[in-house]
């Protein structure tokens, strides 16, 4: 089955640590996106990539970093510079042409302990 | 100009009733308007989508109504069921660019 796999489902981070969230897709989609969702809130765009080895900042990129070395993979690193990282993180992908919206992963819930 | 405004923030509907969620936009270059459904702890899933060359699209109990002149579109859920209780997001995009999401509506269907 084609889809997006996010791992881990739950992640705990100590203060001052960097953590990396994994996102892999086998849909052959060109573009990939990372969103942050806080409880009861909407979706805020962190970073996106429309092609391998290229990515752009979204609305709340500070304290986050990404890489896009392979078409299938778009990992997100939450750095120690992100002061309030506790949230639900969603990865999505989309074809770069033709019809169709995003396909989302099932999310990673990150908690600072 | 890039915003999509969604209302209401929350909605309670009796089982069997009609749920209506509204969205408005400013950018007339938007050409794709999807709706997403999200259950707690899950990622959003594409529910239904419309392009501005049609005024209505229906899939089962879900209908999008689109008013291009008013720059508004809405989701109607007919015969609402408890299983429809979820958060709904409207959205818009231009071509294959990033999708702009509304703020979400938390829908609760009372049995």
């Amino acid at each position: 089955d084609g889809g997006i796999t996010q791992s881990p489902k739950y992640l705990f981070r100590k203060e001052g640590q960097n953590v990396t969230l994994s996102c892999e897709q086998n849909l052959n989609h060109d573009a990939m996106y990372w969103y942050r969702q806080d409880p009861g809130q909407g979706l805020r765009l962190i970073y996106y990539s429309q092609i391998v080895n290229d990515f752009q900042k979204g609305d709340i990129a500070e304290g986050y970093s990404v890489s896009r070395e392979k078409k299938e993979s778009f990992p997100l690193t939450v750095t120690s510079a992100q002061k309030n990282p506790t949230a639900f993180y969603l990865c999505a992908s989309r074809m770069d042409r033709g019809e169709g919206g995003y396909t989302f992963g099932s999310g990673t819930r990150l908690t600072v302990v | 100009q890039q915003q999509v405004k969604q209302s209401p923030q929350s909605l309670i509907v009796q089982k069997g009733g009609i749920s209506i969620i509204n969205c408005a936009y400013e950018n007339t270059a938007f050409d794709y308007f999807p709706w997403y459904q999200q259950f707690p702890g899950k990622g959003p899933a594409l529910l239904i989508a419309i392009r501005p060359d049609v005024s209505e699209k229906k899939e089962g109990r879900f209908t999008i109504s689109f008013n291009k002149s008013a720059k508004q579109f809405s989701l109607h859920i007919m015969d609402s069921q408890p299983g429809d209780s979820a958060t709904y997001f409207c959205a818009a995009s231009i071509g294959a660019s990033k999708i702009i999401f509304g703020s979400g509506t938390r829908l609760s269907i009372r049995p």
Side-chain angles (χ1 to χ4, degrees):
Chain A
D1 283 340
I4 295 183
T5 301
Q6 288 188 242
S7 62
K9 189 172 178 65
Y10 299 95
L11 186 58
F12 297 90
R13 190 195 97 166
K14 293 182 179 179
E15 298 265 358
Q17 270 186 341
N18 291 355
V19 291
T20 297
L21 284 58
S22 171
C23 178
E24 303 276 334
Q25 55 101 357
N26 60 4
L27 299 164
N28 198 33
H29 283 176
D30 303 293
M32 297 186 74
Y33 306 81
W34 275 105
Y35 285 86
R36 170 180 171 142
Q37 187 174 33
D38 293 286
Q41 302 299 311
L43 303 166
R44 293 189 288 169
L45 182 63
I46 304 172
Y47 268 99
Y48 63 104
S49 167
Q50 294 182 296
I51 195 170
V52 174
N53 291 324
D54 188 39
F55 47 83
Q56 287 78 42
K57 293 182 179 180
D59 303 316
I60 56 164
E62 186 174 349
Y64 300 97
S65 66
V66 294
S67 63
R68 186 87 186 277
E69 297 177 1
K70 299 185 301 181
K71 186 176 184 178
E72 302 79 22
S73 178
F74 192 40
L76 174 73
T77 297
V78 184
T79 75
S80 57
Q82 171 50 241
K83 297 306 178 189
N84 185 23
T86 295
F88 189 48
Y89 290 87
L90 288 159
C91 180
S93 69
R94 187 182 192 189
M95 284 296 290
D96 197 30
R97 56 197 173 279
E99 295 206 357
Y102 288 168
T103 299
F104 279 92
S106 55
T108 293
R109 188 166 301 279
L110 173 62
T111 303
V112 173
V113 295
Chain B
Q1 183 118 16
Q2 283 290 88
Q3 281 188 324
V4 177
K5 295 184 179 180
Q6 183 172 348
S7 64
Q9 188 173 15
S10 62
L11 181 62
I12 300 173
V13 174
Q14 290 294 122
K15 179 183 175 182
I18 302 174
S19 304
I20 302 174
I21 304 170
N22 299 300
C23 287
Y25 64 98
E26 287 296 323
N27 190 344
T28 56
F30 285 140
D31 62 0
Y32 178 72
F33 299 88
W35 284 88
Y36 286 84
Q37 179 189 55
Q38 184 182 28
F39 293 105
K42 305 293 184 184
L46 180 65
L47 188 62
I48 187 172
I50 198 168
R51 294 201 178 268
D53 52 346
V54 299
S55 60
E56 185 175 282
K57 184 174 182 180
K58 184 176 181 179
E59 289 184 2
R61 295 185 293 108
F62 300 90
T63 299
I64 299 178
S65 296
F66 191 86
N67 186 330
K68 190 173 181 178
S69 60
K71 293 185 282 188
Q72 296 175 346
F73 58 111
S74 59
L75 177 69
H76 292 64
I77 306 175
M78 312 300 288
D79 187 27
S80 299
Q81 299 296 313
D84 297 330
S85 297
T87 298
Y88 292 82
F89 293 96
C90 63
S93 70
I94 303 168
S97 66
K98 63 179 187 275
I99 293 178
I100 310 298
F101 288 91
S103 54
T105 296
R106 182 173 291 184
L107 174 65
S108 297
I109 307 300
R110 290 260 173 89

